[in-house]
Amino acid sequence: MSVSKQGARANGLEAAIEAPELVAPSGTVLGQNVNGGVGTGGLGGIQKSKLGHNIFDMLVASSCGRPQIVGNALPKQMDSNNVERMESKIQPQEPLQPRKGTTVIRTCFNGLNALSGIGILSIPYALSKGGWICLIILFLIAILCFYTGLLLKRCMDVSPLVKTYPDIGHLAFGSTGRAIISTFMYLELFLLAVEFLILEGDNLHKLFPHAYLHIFGKNIGGKHLFVLLSALVMLPTTWLRSLSLLAYVSAGGVLASIVLIGSVFWVGAFEGVGFNEQGVLWRWNGLPTTISLYTFCYCGHAVFPTLCSSMKDRSQFPKVLLVCFILSTISYGTMAVLGYSMYGETLLSQVTLNLPTRSISSKIAVYTTLINPVTKYAIIVSPIATALEDALSSRSNRPISLIIRTVLVISTVIVALVIPFFGSVMAFIGAFLSISASILFPCLCYLKINKASRKFGIELIFIVVILVLGFFVAVAGTYMSVRDILKNVHAN
C-alpha cells in the first residue's frame, strides 16, 4: 500500500497507486483491492487484495501492537504512568507473532516471473544488431540493473512506510516524484499492451498467412486481421473486476520461457536448422538498439519494492535479487546464443518468426508465445483503467467503467495497427522507459534520499558514471527507435 491511502487518492494518477502490487517490462505485478481496482507495481502475475492476502500468499508485514482501550475507559485525569500500568495488566501474555509474508523461495519465483516476459523473443535479434561482443554488454547490464535494484532496497530501508516504487519517488521528490514515476509506469504498461497485440498479429499471421475476412465489401487480412481478432478475444477479460483466475494462469511466465528455449534448441539440434551461422563480432551502429532491448529484458524494478515489502525477512531481498538476475541472465544468454547461431543476420524481431512453420516444436514455441499475451493483457491494462476511473470518480459506475476499459483497448488496437513494428516499439520502451525506470530513477532517488551517498567517494563516482552513460544511451536509443518507427511507417 502507499504511504498514505488518503493522500494517494488526491488525484487520478496517485489514486491508482494505492494498490500498486501488479508489475513490468518483462513482467508486471498487479494488485486488486476490495473494490476490484488494480494498481501497478511492475510486470508479472502477482495479485493481492486490500486485506493483504494475494494468490501467492504475498502478505504485507503485520505488527502486533498494544490493544486499544475504547470508549471512555480512561479518565482524563489519568497520567501516563497509570495508562502504562493499566495497559500492562490487560496486555496478553503471549509472544509476538512472527512477521507474515512470503518466503525467500516464493519471492524468487515471483521475481523470476517479473523478469521473464516477451523480451526473451527479441534477445537474439538484439544480439544480431550489436554482434557477439554484445554478450558481454548483456552481463554488464544485468549487473548494473542488479545494483540499481539494491539501491531501491536501500531507499526502502529509510522508512517502513515505503512499500512501492511510487512511494520511493514520493519520499525523494515529493508528489512530483510520485507522479513522474507513476506516469512512466503507466506508459510502459500501455505500450506493453500494444506489444502484446503486435505479437499476436505477427505469430498468428505466420501460422495462417492466407487468412482474411470480408467485411463491408472489403477484405481484411494479414497482421491487421489478427490484431483485431486478438483484441476482440481479450476485450471481455478487461471488463472483469476479479482477475484472480487470469493471475494464476499468467504466473506461468517462467515455465513459458523454459518451454520456448527448449523448443528453439530442438529445432536447431534435431530439425535440420543447425547452429552454423557465424554472425559478426561487433557492430557500432547497432549498439544503442542492443542496449535498449537488453534493458527492456531487465525492467522489473517497478515490482522490486513490492516484492521486498512482501517478504517475511526483508534483509534476504538482496539474495533474492541475485538469484533472479543470475537465472534470468542464463535464460536470456542461452536464447541469444541459440537464436543468433541458428539464423545469424536473417533474424527477425521475434525468434519465433524465423522458426519453420511445419515443425511440431516450432508450433509449441509459437502457441506458448500466443497464450501469454491473452492471459496477461487484462492484468496489464487494468492499472491504467483504474487510474482513469479514479480520475473521473467513476469506480463504482459500472457502465462508465466498461466504456473506459473498452476505449482503452481500442486505443491500444489503433497504436498496434499504426506502428506494428515489434522490435522498434520494444527498443523505444527499453530506451525511453526502461532505462529511466531501471537505471536513472533508482540512482537519482538514492542520491536524494541518502545524504551520505553524496559524499565524494567511489560510490558517488560510480553512480555519476551510470547516470551519464545511461542518459546518453537513453537519448541515442530513443532517437534511433523513433527514427526506425517513422521509417517503417513511411515505407508501409
Side-chain angles (χ1 to χ4, degrees):
M1 302 296 291
S2 62
V3 176
S4 170
K5 290 184 182 178
Q6 295 178 350
R9 293 189 180 275
N11 57 55
L13 269 179
E14 295 182 15
I17 305 303
E18 180 183 353
E21 293 82 0
L22 273 185
V23 193
S26 305
T28 311
V29 173
L30 297 177
Q32 182 185 12
N33 62 26
V34 171
N35 296 324
V38 197
T40 74
L43 307 174
I46 307 169
Q47 187 170 17
K48 164 176 139 168
S49 72
K50 196 171 183 180
L51 297 176
H53 301 280
N54 62 51
I55 60 174
F56 299 110
D57 295 325
M58 291 182 60
L59 302 178
V60 178
S62 61
S63 59
C64 300
R66 301 177 185 177
Q68 299 179 354
I69 301 176
V70 297
N72 297 321
L74 295 181
K76 294 183 180 180
Q77 294 82 5
M78 185 174 291
D79 59 21
S80 60
N81 291 331
N82 290 335
V83 172
E84 291 181 358
R85 285 195 298 270
M86 177 177 247
E87 287 186 339
S88 65
K89 292 180 181 180
I90 64 175
Q91 182 77 14
Q93 302 300 318
E94 297 179 1
L96 292 178
Q97 296 179 3
R99 173 190 171 98
K100 296 181 179 180
T102 55
T103 62
V104 171
I105 294 178
R106 184 165 293 179
T107 307
C108 285
F109 173 81
N110 291 333
L112 283 172
N113 191 43
L115 292 174
S116 301
I118 60 177
I120 197 169
L121 297 174
S122 293
I123 202 74
Y125 174 75
L127 182 60
S128 70
K129 299 293 287 186
W132 285 111
I133 290 183
C134 285
L135 277 175
I136 300 175
I137 296 179
L138 175 65
F139 299 130
L140 292 178
I141 291 178
I143 294 172
L144 183 59
C145 290
F146 169 71
Y147 173 72
T148 54
L150 294 180
L151 294 184
L152 292 180
K153 168 64 168 60
R154 295 179 189 176
C155 292
M156 295 184 66
D157 291 339
V158 174
S159 172
L161 297 178
V162 176
K163 304 291 185 182
T164 67
Y165 201 174
D167 289 346
I168 295 176
H170 188 275
L171 183 64
F173 301 103
S175 57
T176 301
R178 178 185 292 274
I180 291 175
I181 289 179
S182 300
T183 301
F184 270 71
M185 289 169 57
Y186 290 137
L187 182 58
E188 185 176 32
L189 289 174
F190 180 85
L191 292 179
L192 185 59
V194 172
E195 284 283 77
F196 281 166
L197 292 177
I198 299 174
L199 184 151
E200 293 287 301
D202 289 345
N203 285 276
L204 285 172
H205 178 61
K206 176 182 175 64
L207 293 176
F208 310 102
H210 305 296
Y212 70 93
L213 198 61
H214 189 77
I215 301 178
F216 301 118
K218 293 183 178 181
N219 291 332
I220 301 177
K223 300 177 183 179
H224 289 176
L225 171 63
F226 293 111
V227 167
L228 293 172
L229 293 179
S230 299
L232 288 176
V233 172
M234 298 174 185
L235 177 60
T237 66
T238 65
W239 296 337
L240 299 176
R241 285 292 187 175
S242 175
L243 301 176
S244 300
L245 179 60
L246 290 179
Y248 273 114
V249 178
S250 67
V254 178
L255 178 60
S257 298
I258 295 174
V259 172
L260 186 59
I261 293 174
S263 300
V264 172
F265 171 77
W266 187 272
V267 170
F270 303 107
E271 298 191 6
V273 176
F275 306 98
N276 304 316
E277 293 292 334
Q278 295 182 352
V280 298
L281 186 64
W282 181 254
R283 184 180 288 114
W284 277 98
N285 58 1
L287 191 58
T289 300
T290 297
I291 295 177
S292 299
L293 293 173
Y294 283 170
T295 309
F296 176 88
C297 295
Y298 292 105
C299 64
H301 288 62
V303 69
F304 290 163
T306 304
L307 294 178
C308 179
S309 64
S310 71
M311 292 186 68
K312 289 181 180 179
D313 184 3
R314 288 171 53 163
S315 65
Q316 298 297 313
F317 186 68
K319 296 180 181 178
V320 170
L321 273 186
L322 182 61
V323 171
C324 291
F325 273 93
I326 289 176
L327 294 181
S328 61
T329 301
I330 291 174
S331 66
Y332 284 134
T334 301
M335 178 61 85
V337 171
L338 288 176
Y340 196 31
S341 60
M342 287 169 62
Y343 297 106
E345 299 305 303
T346 62
L347 270 167
L348 300 176
S349 60
Q350 305 163 54
V351 68
T352 51
L353 300 180
N354 288 96
L355 299 178
T357 55
R358 296 185 179 181
S359 166
I360 295 179
S361 55
S362 297
K363 291 182 178 180
I364 293 175
V366 172
Y367 286 127
T368 302
T369 301
L370 291 173
I371 291 174
N372 265 345
V374 174
T375 60
K376 287 186 176 181
Y377 183 87
I379 296 178
I380 294 297
V381 169
S382 289
I384 311 173
T386 302
L388 294 174
E389 290 169 358
D390 287 335
L392 299 175
S393 301
S394 59
R395 177 79 70 86
S396 59
N397 191 325
R398 186 61 174 167
I400 298 298
S401 176
L402 292 178
I403 294 174
I404 290 174
R405 292 167 184 264
T406 302
V407 171
L408 185 58
V409 173
I410 293 174
S411 65
T412 61
V413 171
I414 293 174
V415 176
L417 294 176
V418 174
I419 50 173
F421 316 116
F422 186 85
S424 299
V425 174
M426 182 178 289
F428 174 79
I429 297 173
F432 181 63
L433 301 173
S434 300
I435 291 180
S436 298
S438 301
I439 296 177
L440 300 181
F441 290 166
C443 292
L444 292 174
C445 290
Y446 178 69
L447 290 177
K448 178 66 175 178
I449 294 172
N450 192 336
K451 295 181 179 180
S453 65
R454 284 173 270 177
K455 294 181 180 180
F456 185 79
I458 296 178
E459 184 178 54
L460 179 60
I461 295 175
F462 184 56
I463 291 177
V464 171
V465 171
I466 292 175
L467 288 172
V468 172
L469 293 179
F471 179 78
F472 173 77
V473 174
V475 172
T478 302
Y479 168 76
M480 294 187 67
S481 60
V482 172
R483 183 195 64 183
D484 292 341
I485 290 173
L486 294 177
K487 183 189 299 183
N488 290 327
V489 169
H490 291 309
N492 291 347

